Amino acid sequence: MIDKNQTCGTGQDSMPSMTCLIHVLEEWFGVEQLEDYWNFANYLLWVFTPLILLILPYFTIFLLYLTIIFLHIYKRKNVLKEAYSHNLWDGARKTVATLWDGHAAVWHGYEVHGMEKIPEGPALIIFYHGAIPIDFYYFMAKIFIHKGRTCRVVADHFVFKIPGSQQKQAKKVYGFSLLLDVFCAIHGPREKCVEILRSGHLLAISPGGVREALISDETYNIVWGNRKGFAQVAIDAKVPIIPMFTQNIREGFRSLGGTRLFRWLYEKFRYPFAPMYGGFPVKLRTYLGDPIPYDPKITAEELAEKTKDAVQALIDKHQRIPGNIMSALLERFHNKQKID
């Protein structure tokens, strides 16, 4: 048999330089099958190259993102400590609100314009419903952090049918219902809404609800139908209505619920089966309109129409129609609020 080292020279029968080097190393270190280890190492490099090139850089960014949110929370550590010392759930609310506020600031550069229009007393906030109402989560966080108030919200009935949202035993609350309880989400009825407002709290309602979330699109059409129950609530409670709209909310997340199939499924089962996509870090700005004061002479139909016009005015003033994801992303880098 020809010795391996004899083939590490020049000529037709000479081995490739890498193979020759491997054989030399085998002789030096007294290790056999070094070439197999080398081939396995090459295989691992080939397998993990996509991980190294694609995933690890984003993981680093993700860690930076978590660090920023942590610092955002730590900056308010004294406020959180005081909240926990008074009430367990107030401390939890303050912590979660700070977390969401940090996410809003980092991912969307979130802003609220018109916070001063919210009165010290009760008010009914009426808002346009995006595919996912993440803007309202951010808004609730802002209200709780800066005004120390919890904004109650009327949620769709399907939310209370999510597994875990009905697990109540011996006055203990578990699962998803814990989230609904702590953040004061209710499903009505009208009498309960009036009671909350008469108690001096803020209450938010999206008349379009899930139907608006699914069917509306980048044209930002309001899908309220003939709903006027919210107006009757404001009249019965004798409180002002504050219209609210968030710029670019449809560019952050979009729904395919406008197609015939998914509309039929929703109307049939009253459950949002439609797929959604997004999570884009677009610029989000929430605008609060001028309060519509209580007027004992106005009817629920008239007040509902007046409120709808007020929300539409905010859309017309602040939103590019049709919405554009790229433009909404670019707004993160300049202060221009609407492109005509």
Side-chain angles (χ1 to χ4, degrees):
M1 181 179 291
I2 301 175
D3 188 90
K4 293 177 182 177
N5 290 333
Q6 293 178 0
T7 63
C8 292
T10 58
Q12 290 182 335
D13 296 329
S14 62
M15 293 183 180
S17 57
M18 183 56 68
T19 304
C20 181
L21 177 60
I22 290 172
H23 291 322
V24 170
L25 292 174
E26 285 178 348
E27 291 290 335
W28 282 359
F29 295 107
V31 178
E32 296 183 357
Q33 299 178 328
L34 188 60
E35 187 172 5
D36 292 336
Y37 293 115
W38 174 258
N39 290 335
F40 182 66
N42 275 331
Y43 171 75
L44 291 179
L45 182 63
W46 177 79
V47 168
F48 287 104
T49 293
L51 173 68
I52 296 170
L53 296 180
L54 300 177
I55 299 177
L56 289 182
Y58 292 103
F59 181 71
T60 303
I61 295 172
F62 176 70
L63 287 178
L64 290 173
Y65 176 64
L66 285 181
T67 302
I68 294 170
I69 293 179
F70 169 76
L71 293 174
H72 188 84
I73 295 173
Y74 187 79
K75 184 173 64 175
R76 293 193 171 97
K77 68 180 186 303
N78 291 331
V79 177
L80 295 176
K81 187 185 297 184
E82 182 180 354
Y84 276 105
S85 66
H86 287 86
N87 182 283
L88 174 64
W89 291 122
D90 278 349
R93 290 187 186 103
K94 185 76 75 172
T95 302
V96 175
T98 303
L99 177 66
W100 277 97
D101 191 52
H103 183 276
V106 173
W107 196 246
H108 293 289
Y110 181 67
E111 303 171 8
V112 176
H113 297 267
M115 188 78 82
E116 70 282 355
K117 296 176 182 178
I118 297 177
E120 294 299 321
L124 179 61
I125 299 172
I126 302 298
F127 65 99
Y128 172 86
H129 202 301
I132 293 179
I134 193 169
D135 57 320
F136 186 73
Y137 309 153
Y138 295 156
F139 175 74
M140 282 200 303
K142 287 283 188 188
I143 287 287
F144 194 77
I145 290 172
H146 296 288
K147 289 185 174 288
R149 302 183 67 184
T150 301
C151 183
R152 275 71 173 169
V153 60
V154 176
D156 194 274
H157 289 279
F158 96 89
V159 174
F160 298 89
K161 297 176 183 177
I162 295 174
S165 62
Q166 297 174 323
Q167 298 175 9
K168 296 185 179 182
Q169 298 176 358
K171 297 183 179 179
K172 294 183 179 180
V173 187
Y174 303 95
F176 195 76
S177 61
L178 179 61
L179 181 66
L180 298 175
D181 248 35
V182 171
F183 288 95
C184 306
I186 63 171
H187 58 76
R190 184 185 301 174
E191 293 75 18
K192 180 65 175 177
C193 296
V194 173
E195 178 187 337
I196 288 172
L197 289 168
R198 285 178 176 172
S199 299
H201 299 293
L202 296 172
L203 178 67
I205 298 176
S206 174
V210 174
R211 181 179 281 104
E212 188 169 75
L214 296 177
I215 297 175
S216 187
D217 54 21
E218 63 271 18
T219 61
Y220 287 85
N221 54 312
I222 295 176
V223 186
W224 290 6
N226 296 319
R227 292 183 177 179
K228 56 181 184 295
F230 70 91
Q232 191 61 55
V233 166
I235 292 172
D236 292 344
K238 300 180 180 180
V239 298
I241 289 178
I242 301 176
M244 187 176 93
F245 169 73
T246 299
Q247 182 189 53
N248 297 326
I249 188 59
R250 282 280 166 185
E251 281 58 72
F253 289 90
R254 287 192 172 174
S255 167
L256 301 179
T259 60
R260 181 178 298 178
L261 172 62
F262 294 120
R263 289 186 67 168
W264 178 84
L265 286 173
Y266 175 72
E267 298 298 341
K268 180 73 174 177
F269 300 102
R270 289 287 188 251
Y271 203 88
F273 291 104
M276 297 182 185
Y277 66 96
F280 305 115
V282 299
K283 181 69 176 182
L284 294 181
R285 298 183 181 93
T286 291
Y287 293 94
L288 296 166
D290 293 328
I292 302 173
Y294 165 69
D295 182 356
K297 299 178 181 179
I298 198 171
T299 66
E301 291 82 0
E302 292 170 337
L303 183 56
E305 190 62 32
K306 192 172 183 179
T307 305
K308 184 177 180 180
D309 291 342
V311 174
Q312 186 63 57
L314 291 175
I315 295 173
D316 294 341
K317 182 177 181 180
H318 300 292
Q319 182 60 52
R320 170 182 179 144
I321 303 293
N324 182 278
I325 295 174
M326 185 57 66
S327 295
L329 286 169
L330 292 176
E331 286 181 34
R332 293 294 305 275
F333 305 101
H334 59 80
N335 294 323
K336 196 170 183 178
Q337 298 185 13
K338 180 178 177 181
I339 302 174
D340 297 320

